[in-house]
Amino acid sequence: MALINENYTKLPGGYLFSDIARKVSEFKVSHPDANVIRLGIGDVTKPLAPAVISALHKAVDEMSEASSFRGYGPEQGYDFLVNTIVENDYKARGLNIAADEIFVSDGSKSDTGNIGDILGLDNIVAITDPVYPVYVDTNAMAGRAGELLADGKWSKLIYVPCTSENDFIPSLPKEKVDIVYLCYPNNPTGTTLTKDQLKVWVDWAIENKVLILFDGAYEAYITESDVPHSIYEIDGAEQVAIEFRSFSKTAGFTGTRCAYTVVPKSVMGYTKSGEKVSLNKLWNRRHTTKFNGVPYIIQRAAEACYSEEGKAQVKAVVDYYLNNAKIIREGLAAQGLKVYGGVNSPYIWVKTPNGMTSWGFFDYLLNDLNIVGTPGVGFGPSGEGYLRLTAFGTLENTKEAVGRLKKIII
């Protein structure tokens, strides 16, 4: 008799974005002529940059010749990509991250979920609320979250509210915490922390031996100078923080799949007896055991993002989406709606009008205006009364959607 991991039975019926996809599919079946504009799931629409495509073609050609064919590569990533990441994303900012602290992977979603493999089940986990669902769900799958309560919270998780009432700036937990997830620029709210605000968290983590899991997947969208692109810009962060980065929303790799995680050798975990253990060593063991590495051709494509032409082309795409974000943000604000984010992020977080629930506003937008958003409550209890829109659509669809949103009666 094969016993199951019963923690899975405690999860809600479906993953948030799968539920949204099902609702949209059902609507399209019953309304086949509707022109549905999707501003819900954070998937990109612009094609890969020409420099990336060129690198892909070249790498594919290499695979056709015995002299340049590649089989299994290093699980941590090829040196050509790892060293390029170190030089451009860290040394260029004056940060001392070593090549053997970089682990190339197929996505930050995977890594933020899998990082729990090397962390004990007795850890007390804190999350900002609302939050990217993967952080919560994977801890629930592992057994760290406890039981799902009637109010939508998990019994063992520590929730740190981020709402308009505190200007989306999380307060330090008052309870004992071992691990905290931070995502900045934030998904879903699109808000950020300044260097001084993030330093408060780093200092607290050092003092209390707390591990920070820092999701920086949207750092390329930062436009303001006092917002850090990496948590390692904060003194001492290399002692307490693991950072996750992705090419998905930066360079359009949502379907191409490439990311990386930084685990400094100075970040320590502890045995129950208090002995220090390098998390870099543990993650390397996990990574090499459960992962065979990102394909060679994909890593060559990622490397091309850092060439001079690649940087310019990728920035142009990021600027395109930021312009969409501005159009959405200003269009909603002009309607009298309360809007947040969209300055350092491709996400716009909007307060639902007339006291609507998140799902109520979602249904209204889908059925009446044929626009797909993401219900804020799907990101956690503090997301109730909000809806997330993304800037990843085309410019034409973004303008059309804003035009439709003008029909909302406040």
Side-chain angles (χ1 to χ4, degrees):
M1 182 172 67
L3 300 178
I4 65 167
N5 178 349
E6 294 188 22
N7 292 308
Y8 277 71
T9 67
K10 301 174 184 179
L11 293 165
Y15 182 56
L16 172 63
F17 297 108
S18 298
D19 290 343
I20 291 172
R22 176 182 53 78
K23 279 179 167 280
V24 174
S25 294
E26 291 172 354
F27 176 81
K28 293 198 73 173
V29 168
S30 58
H31 302 81
D33 297 328
N35 176 20
V36 176
I37 297 178
R38 299 172 185 264
L39 299 180
I41 191 168
D43 197 3
V44 296
T45 53
K46 297 289 283 183
L48 295 170
V52 171
I53 294 296
S54 178
L56 277 171
H57 282 302
K58 182 179 178 182
V60 168
D61 288 341
E62 288 181 47
M63 299 295 279
S64 70
E65 301 289 340
S67 61
S68 53
F69 172 78
R70 305 289 182 116
Y72 288 124
E75 293 93 343
Q76 302 90 339
Y78 283 99
D79 286 345
F80 63 77
L81 178 57
V82 170
N83 290 331
T84 298
I85 288 169
V86 168
E87 290 296 327
N88 287 272
D89 289 343
Y90 295 99
K91 284 192 176 180
R93 295 189 180 279
L95 305 177
N96 187 27
I97 297 297
D100 60 358
E101 295 174 322
I102 303 282
F103 297 84
V104 177
S105 74
D106 64 351
S108 287
K109 177 181 180 179
S110 303
D111 284 358
T112 56
N114 291 330
I115 196 70
D117 284 5
I118 66 171
L119 301 169
L121 297 183
D122 294 332
N123 284 302
I124 299 172
V125 177
I127 58 166
T128 54
D129 178 34
V131 72
Y132 184 44
V134 171
Y135 311 157
V136 174
D137 288 0
T138 52
N139 276 289
M141 291 170 179
R144 293 187 197 89
E147 304 295 327
L148 183 59
L149 305 176
D151 62 0
K153 293 183 178 181
W154 290 85
S155 61
K156 289 185 178 180
L157 295 182
I158 303 299
Y159 289 80
V160 183
C162 295
T163 65
S164 59
E165 283 72 23
N166 61 4
D167 293 324
F168 300 95
I169 301 170
S171 299
L172 295 175
K174 296 179 181 178
E175 305 90 339
K176 178 187 181 299
V177 168
D178 302 302
I179 300 167
V180 62
Y181 289 79
L182 297 178
C183 174
Y184 289 99
N186 185 256
N187 178 15
T189 67
T191 57
T192 56
L193 295 182
T194 65
K195 291 179 181 179
D196 287 343
Q197 290 164 346
L198 187 54
K199 186 178 187 302
V200 171
W201 282 87
V202 171
D203 290 347
W204 166 79
I206 293 171
E207 182 178 352
N208 294 278
K209 294 183 179 179
V210 175
L211 174 65
I212 298 176
L213 300 178
F214 189 81
D215 189 345
Y218 302 96
E219 65 82 26
Y221 290 83
I222 293 171
T223 62
E224 296 178 319
S225 60
D226 63 342
V227 177
H229 288 257
S230 167
I231 194 170
Y232 304 120
E233 293 178 43
I234 311 302
D235 288 342
E238 69 283 353
Q239 302 173 40
V240 293
I242 293 174
E243 180 165 278
F244 306 90
R245 292 280 197 98
S246 174
F247 293 93
S248 286
K249 310 303 168 56
T250 302
F253 276 50
T254 51
T256 309
R257 308 310 303 155
C258 194
Y260 66 87
T261 292
V262 184
V263 188
K265 292 188 287 292
S266 51
V267 176
M268 296 293 162
Y270 299 86
T271 66
K272 288 185 177 180
S273 63
E275 179 186 355
K276 289 184 179 181
V277 179
S278 168
L279 293 186
N280 177 282
K281 181 179 180 180
L282 296 186
W283 184 244
N284 185 65
R285 185 68 170 86
R286 189 265 173 207
H287 200 69
T288 55
T289 300
K290 289 191 173 184
F291 187 61
N292 265 342
V294 173
Y296 170 74
I297 60 174
I298 301 301
Q299 293 193 52
R300 281 297 186 192
E303 178 194 28
C305 296
Y306 295 99
S307 68
E308 288 306 311
E309 61 177 351
K311 287 179 181 178
Q313 292 164 1
V314 168
K315 184 179 185 303
V317 173
V318 169
D319 288 346
Y320 178 95
Y321 292 135
L322 280 172
N323 183 58
N324 284 351
K326 180 180 179 182
I327 291 170
I328 296 171
R329 186 181 72 249
E330 293 181 351
L332 292 173
Q335 285 296 100
L337 292 167
K338 293 181 179 179
V339 189
Y340 310 91
V343 175
N344 299 290
S345 166
Y347 295 124
I348 298 91
W349 191 241
V350 55
K351 182 70 176 172
T352 61
N354 305 319
M356 281 187 179
T357 65
S358 292
W359 277 110
F361 194 40
F362 169 89
D363 290 336
Y364 167 73
L365 291 181
L366 177 60
N367 291 294
D368 288 47
L369 303 182
N370 302 159
I371 295 172
V372 180
T374 306
V377 71
F379 297 100
S382 292
E384 179 58 88
Y386 293 90
L387 184 118
R388 191 193 76 173
L389 296 172
T390 83
F392 291 122
T394 65
L395 176 60
E396 294 74 22
N397 280 347
T398 298
K399 290 181 176 179
E400 170 65 21
V402 170
R404 295 182 193 178
L405 290 167
K406 291 180 180 179
K407 298 177 184 177
I408 295 175
I409 299 175
I410 306 300

